[in-house]
């Protein structure tokens, strides 16, 4: 069996045309189980009281910003909106309160690092034309049953900007993703219209440099996938997901890659890396 990440000419053509590509069975059942089991262990060990104060103090904006910035090089836990009451206590069990865990799983945790730096992932990026790719951030997204929040239309290049633009999103379904439990939706070919706006980190925090355009929901198509499928997302593709209205979770592991060959990392990105991430290599390279 060949390397799953080696794209065929037809797959590359489809990605270039549509702005996204679904690769079925990209991750094995064993890889999925390992990542889900590892995250379950992390969640069980996580003490929400260690960060609850961040979300309930008078310095909330400042402290949450610092927690967010520091997560670029840590494994940090982020809660669903309105997870806490006015006294800083969780309104429900922590297992049902976490929105995501990020943003350095791929660097710090051995289980997630093994998948993130796998031959399948590196081969995929080289198939897309990368010369010296690096994984710049990673997220484990829970999309909790009943409360998993909406992710509004956006482009990945807005958040992880390089000159020239090189961001690609890799969204791995760890559970089946459907229109009921909050699968991805995208506007096919929207990447051809270029980048709409940027998410910038300034002295007073992070902000978008311009308002979001209005989008016609009729233009979006659902990307329903089975567990183990990978959705490859062009950095300029407009995509979103809706609330999870089902009784089932929709776990996913998301990676974002950029190229470092002939590309400049924008200094006003929200991630200000102190150390250059280690690049991935093609098969046979060291």
């Amino acid at each position: 069996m060949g390397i799953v990440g080696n794209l065929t000419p037809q797959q590359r053509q489809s990605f270039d045309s549509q702005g996204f590509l679904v690769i079925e069975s990209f991750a094995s059942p064993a890889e999925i189980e390992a990542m889900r089991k590892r995250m379950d262990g992390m969640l069980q060990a996580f003490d929400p009281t260690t960060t609850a104060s961040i979300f309930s103090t008078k310095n909330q904006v400042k402290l949450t910003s610092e927690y967010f910035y520091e997560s670029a090089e840590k494994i940090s836990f982020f809660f669903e909106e309105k997870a806490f009451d006015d006294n800083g206590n969780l309104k429900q069990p922590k297992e049902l309160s976490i929105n995501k865990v990020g943003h350095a799983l791929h660097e710090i945790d051995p289980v997630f690092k093994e998948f993130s730096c796998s031959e399948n992932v590196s081969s995929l990026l080289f198939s897309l034309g990368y010369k010296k790719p690096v994984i710049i951030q990673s997220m484990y997204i829970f999309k909790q049953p009943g409360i998993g929040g909406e992710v509004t239309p956006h482009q990945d290049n807005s958040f992880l900007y390089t000159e020239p633009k090189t961001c690609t999103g890799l969204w791995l379904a760890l559970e089946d993703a459907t229109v009921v439990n909050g699968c991805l939706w995208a506007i096919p070919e929207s990447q051809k219209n270029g980048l709409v706006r940027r998410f910038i980190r300034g002295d007073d925090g992070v902000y978008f440099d311009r308002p979001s355009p209005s989008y016609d929901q009729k233009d979006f198509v659902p990307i329903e996938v089975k567990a183990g499928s990978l959705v490859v997302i062009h950095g300029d593709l407009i995509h979103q997901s809706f609330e999870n209205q089902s009784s089932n979770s929709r776990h996913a592991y998301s990676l974002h890659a950029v190229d470092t060959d002939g590309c400049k990392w924008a200094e006003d990105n929200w991630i200000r890396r102190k150390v250059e991430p280690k690049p991935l290599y093609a098969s046979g390279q060291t």
Side-chain angles (χ1 to χ4, degrees), residues 53-229:
S53 61
I54 293 174
F55 299 89
S56 58
T57 68
K58 292 181 180 179
N59 294 322
Q60 183 179 12
V61 173
K62 180 176 183 296
L63 292 175
T64 52
S65 293
E66 290 176 355
Y67 187 77
F68 176 58
Y69 297 152
E70 291 173 358
S71 73
E73 297 179 350
K74 294 183 177 181
I75 296 176
S76 302
F77 293 75
F78 296 86
F79 295 91
E80 286 287 353
E81 289 185 15
K82 301 179 181 178
F84 296 95
D85 61 24
D86 293 337
N87 297 318
N89 300 312
L90 285 174
K91 293 194 260 184
Q92 54 200 354
K94 63 180 179 181
E95 293 82 2
L96 298 176
S97 301
I98 299 295
N99 171 286
K100 68 177 181 180
V101 175
H103 290 93
L105 286 161
H106 64 289
E107 291 184 339
I108 297 174
D109 184 80
V111 173
F112 287 95
K113 185 175 184 178
E114 183 176 359
F115 174 81
S116 306
C117 300
S118 66
E119 190 172 15
N120 278 346
V121 171
S122 60
S123 295
L124 168 61
L125 293 171
F126 283 103
S127 291
L128 290 172
Y130 280 74
K131 303 298 183 185
K132 192 179 177 183
V134 299
I135 303 298
I136 201 69
Q137 74 172 25
S138 53
M139 297 178 285
Y140 190 107
I141 306 167
F142 292 84
K143 205 71 162 181
Q144 302 284 8
I147 66 166
E150 174 186 14
V151 178
T152 57
H154 66 279
Q155 299 167 297
D156 293 339
N157 271 326
S158 295
F159 302 90
L160 304 166
Y161 186 77
T162 61
E163 295 180 353
K165 296 174 295 182
T166 61
C167 182
T168 298
L170 307 177
W171 193 93
L172 178 71
L174 299 176
E175 297 181 292
D176 294 353
T178 69
V179 293
V180 181
N181 71 357
C183 71
L184 296 175
W185 292 68
I187 301 180
E189 301 188 24
S190 56
Q191 82 284 358
K192 297 177 181 178
N193 297 323
L195 185 61
V196 173
R197 59 179 183 162
R198 286 194 56 210
F199 187 71
I200 292 173
R201 177 175 171 179
D203 294 335
D204 298 322
V206 290
Y207 60 93
F208 284 104
D209 62 354
R210 64 192 66 184
S212 174
S214 299
Y215 297 103
D216 190 338
Q217 291 300 321
K218 293 179 182 178
D219 292 335
F220 286 85
V221 298
I223 308 176
E224 294 186 294
V225 294
K226 294 291 186 181
S229 298

